[in-house]
Amino acid sequence: MLTGKRILLIVTGGIAAYKTPDLVRRLRERGAAVRCVLTEGGARFVTPLSLSAVSGDKVYRDLFDLTDEQEMGHIQLSRDADVILVAPASADVLAKMAHGLATDLATTALLATDKPVIVAPAMNVRMWEHAATRANLRTLMDRGVTVIGPEDGDMACGEFGPGRMTEPLDIVAAVVAFFHGGRPLAGRHALVTSGPTHEPIDPVRYIANRSSGKQGHAIATALAALGARVTLVTGPVALKDPPGVATVHVETARDMLAACLEALPADIAVCAAAVADWRAADTAPEKMKKDGGPLSALALAENPDILAALAQPGPDRPALVVGFAAETETVVAHARAKLKKKGCDWICANDVSPETGTFGGDMNRVHLVTADGIEASEVEDWPALTKAQVGEKLARRIARHLAPAAAEDAGSSAE
Ligand code: CTP
């Protein structure tokens, strides 16, 4: 699977560096030749001897070491590789890469290369979430760097959250996918809606719902990871904009519809937003005052249906329009009816009854209803997955539908 591929593995400082001998072994098992560069920080967590033993090669460490430079200069190191893999990639190396600093052998090789670069970040959750790291990552992704992970989990520093390096086997899978055209949606534009909408009643009050936006944001992230250019139109959420995704922030359903129409044409539309069905028919210009009695007249007007609008036949209709059905009972039957009513191609039906914890939670259980002739519409029952996994599975399923050959090359067919 990786036969004949030459990988330059750069190991930077972080506790996850201890996993890199396993990573090297797994890459070599699949036929890759691996050459390692170990930074000073990396050498605090893994010894050059163990990396050299598993890679079967010398480990390169010093920019100014005459032996290193004579045998294999930094230019040659990157020239001799098909891909550069930075794992673990510390916040520091990401910052240096984003800003073009070349302060040691690793960063010099990274600046001198014209080869594809894959990074597997690993750091403390606060460092990962810091605006500087987010901006650096966005810069790197815009330059075509592939980012794997990090994963959520307990961290060595005692905190929980995103920042843990992706496990070696998953990094290997991502490297394999990379070599086998792991971007089956390259050249496609995907439009994703996410989050709730807020519908003002007066200057301080609004109608809203409990949607967190986690599912829509995860779908946008996963589609981007498969190479799609993604526009995410999101209502107010407490989430960060996904890196590498053009994010448009809106408040009301009508703003969301306008932003979606503005983003067309698109090849794919996934409507995961929990759009408020109604808005206040008249927004009070001033804060409404209590007068001791009940509020008897709050007239509501129906909001435009964004999914139905995007699914309408016409020259701008995306090739694949996917909706969500948040139901609390007879989930699949309602989803079938919704598919027909809205005119979309697929519905991801999910049970949001309070006991499932779907709304606002991290897990989701999806039944994918596809409209291959509605009477014969097929249903795929997915297991309970994290919302990130649902995003990835849906993105791979979309890739398989729109670009079957590319998806197969990318190893996405084994769904
Ligand atoms: N949707 C939308 N615009 C709306 C309402 C819903 O785009 N104004 C989309 C959602 O993003 C989702 C799908 O439609 O993909 C299903 O939403 P839902 O609110 O369940 O649809 P309804 O027809 O309102 O269903 P029900 O009548 O069962 O509430």
Side-chain angles (χ1 to χ4, degrees):
M1 283 198 289
L2 290 173
T3 314
K5 301 294 181 207
R6 298 162 307 168
I7 297 171
L8 181 66
L9 172 66
I10 295 180
V11 179
T12 72
I15 181 79
Y18 83 89
K19 295 181 180 172
T20 52
D22 187 36
L23 175 62
V24 172
R25 195 169 60 82
R26 307 276 188 184
L27 289 167
R28 290 191 72 203
E29 273 170 8
R30 283 156 183 78
V34 185
R35 178 165 276 153
C36 299
V37 169
L38 183 60
T39 66
E40 209 180 309
R44 304 220 173 215
F45 299 95
V46 61
T47 67
L49 192 61
S50 40
L51 279 179
S52 154
V54 287
S55 68
D57 196 353
K58 174 179 162 46
V59 170
Y60 294 83
R61 299 188 56 189
D62 193 347
L63 184 57
F64 301 108
D65 180 314
L66 272 183
T67 340
D68 277 8
E69 279 289 306
Q70 271 170 10
E71 283 177 24
M72 178 69 66
H74 55 275
I75 305 286
Q76 196 64 30
L77 270 174
S78 62
R79 198 176 284 162
D80 273 3
D82 296 308
V83 71
I84 300 188
L85 171 63
V86 190
S90 62
D92 179 68
V93 82
L94 295 176
K96 285 179 176 152
M97 287 169 73
H99 295 279
L101 298 184
T103 52
D104 60 5
L105 182 58
T107 46
T108 309
L110 282 162
L111 190 61
T113 195
D114 57 358
K115 297 296 168 61
V117 177
I118 304 175
V119 297
M123 65 198 71
N124 164 274
V125 59
R126 285 161 211 265
M127 293 167 84
W128 172 250
E129 285 176 351
H130 195 284
T133 305
R134 312 301 300 165
N136 291 335
L137 217 63
R138 200 157 303 157
T139 303
L140 294 175
M141 289 175 81
D142 287 346
R143 280 185 207 145
V145 170
T146 303
V147 181
I148 306 171
E151 312 297 323
D152 276 1
D154 288 318
M155 306 189 52
C157 52
E159 295 190 65
F160 180 90
R164 206 164 71 171
M165 188 176 83
T166 299
E167 288 303 320
L169 268 180
D170 292 328
I171 296 181
V172 171
V175 172
V176 171
F178 177 83
F179 277 117
H180 293 268
R183 296 168 68 81
L185 292 177
R188 313 263 180 170
H189 179 208
L191 170 63
V192 180
T193 69
S194 185
T197 61
H198 286 184
E199 309 294 336
I201 296 171
D202 68 15
V204 299
R205 300 184 179 90
Y206 55 81
I207 301 170
N209 60 62
R210 295 183 195 281
S211 168
S212 64
K214 285 179 187 169
Q215 188 58 82
H217 279 54
I219 293 165
T221 303
L223 288 166
L226 293 192
R229 177 170 72 81
V230 181
T231 305
L232 172 66
V233 180
T234 178
V237 292
L239 301 173
K240 301 223 159 76
D241 295 352
V245 167
T247 305
V248 183
H249 294 266
V250 296
E251 194 158 326
T252 67
R254 288 187 292 179
D255 295 344
M256 187 173 272
L257 175 64
C260 286
L261 296 178
E262 173 100 346
L264 293 178
D267 304 283
I268 305 153
V270 181
C271 293
V275 183
D277 287 322
W278 295 281
R279 64 176 184 277
D282 299 301
T283 309
E286 307 297 338
K287 183 169 174 250
M288 290 160 65
K289 291 287 186 195
K290 298 187 282 291
D291 63 5
L295 178 62
S296 53
L298 181 61
L300 298 176
E302 198 169 335
N303 264 329
D305 191 315
I306 297 160
L307 174 60
L310 293 173
Q312 237 169 42
D316 268 353
R317 188 195 192 276
L320 183 68
V321 180
V322 184
F324 270 73
E327 308 287 356
T328 53
E329 33 102 40
T330 48
V331 175
V332 170
H334 278 135
R336 285 210 169 102
K338 203 159 283 179
L339 186 104
K340 203 167 184 174
K341 187 173 103 189
K342 307 239 181 184
C344 58
D345 304 298
W346 296 355
I347 286 271
C348 294
N350 48 0
D351 189 344
V352 295
S353 43
E355 63 275 14
T356 64
T358 303
F359 248 57
D362 288 320
M363 300 296 287
N364 202 356
R365 199 185 162 96
V366 164
H367 309 273
L368 180 68
V369 180
T370 59
D372 302 322
I374 294 177
E375 302 324 319
S377 66
E378 290 178 13
V379 179
E380 293 173 21
D381 296 313
W382 294 359
L385 298 169
T386 64
K387 288 182 177 174
Q389 288 168 327
V390 167
E392 285 159 16
K393 195 168 169 72
L394 182 63
R396 286 196 299 269
R397 188 69 182 74
I398 289 172
R400 187 144 60 90
H401 179 79
L402 289 181
E408 197 142 315
D409 281 350
S412 315
S413 55
E415 288 291 311

